[in-house]
Amino acid sequence: MTERVLVTDRATKIIDQLRERHGELMFHQSGGCCDGSSPMCFPKGELMLNETDVKLGTIHGCHFYMSKDQFEYWKHTQLTVDITTGRGSSFSLEIPLGLRFVIKSRLFTDEEREHLEPVEYASEEA
């Protein structure tokens, strides 16, 4: 299966630090408010999800979501969560560290599109 969302080794180290401090985590790709469109990290369950959210996959033990409308735009791309220096202006947990998560993307190949992981809607999760 072709994964829809990946994470760099550098970002996993920050996720580990945040998990140690905040417990289980989740990600949501913001839709353009505050910091543009960026991946935001929250304690698991802090961000309320509903039928308008799609789970693309799991990165380093954390579910990764985005809105259904945004998914329609990004569904042809593989996303990779990375980290960079600089303070973003969001509520994401890494911001106080002077870091921010960023997305890198690339289009799926024809072969990869044939084997994409299915998405789940947040309302379908138990």
Side-chain angles (χ1 to χ4, degrees), residues 74-86:
W74 287 97
K75 68 183 176 184
H76 306 290
T77 61
Q78 186 174 58
L79 307 179
T80 301
V81 177
D82 199 2
I83 197 82
T84 190
T85 56

Side-chain angles (χ1 to χ4, degrees), residues 48-117:
M48 298 303 293
L49 301 170
N50 60 35
E51 67 279 353
T52 65
D53 294 298
V54 177
K55 183 175 101 178
L56 274 65
T58 301
I59 57 167
H60 200 52
C62 307
H63 294 318
F64 188 98
Y65 301 90
M66 72 172 44
S67 73
K68 193 174 3 178
D69 292 341
Q70 196 171 19
F71 175 68
E72 282 304 310
Y73 179 79
W74 287 97
K75 68 183 176 184
H76 306 290
T77 61
Q78 186 174 58
L79 307 179
T80 301
V81 177
D82 199 2
I83 197 82
T84 190
T85 56
R87 265 183 82 90
S89 58
S90 73
F91 301 104
S92 192
L93 292 175
E94 80 284 2
I95 298 304
L97 301 175
L99 302 168
R100 61 189 174 105
F101 289 111
V102 294
I103 286 288
K104 297 176 181 179
S105 63
R106 70 168 183 84
L107 293 174
F108 289 116
T109 65
D110 291 339
E111 183 179 340
E112 288 172 328
R113 272 194 298 276
E114 292 176 20
H115 304 286
L116 283 173
E117 275 187 331

Side-chain angles (χ1 to χ4, degrees), residues 1-14:
M1 295 297 277
T2 303
E3 294 177 271
R4 293 179 180 272
V5 61
L6 306 172
V7 63
T8 65
D9 289 339
R10 293 177 345 145
T12 62
K13 291 175 183 168
I14 301 306

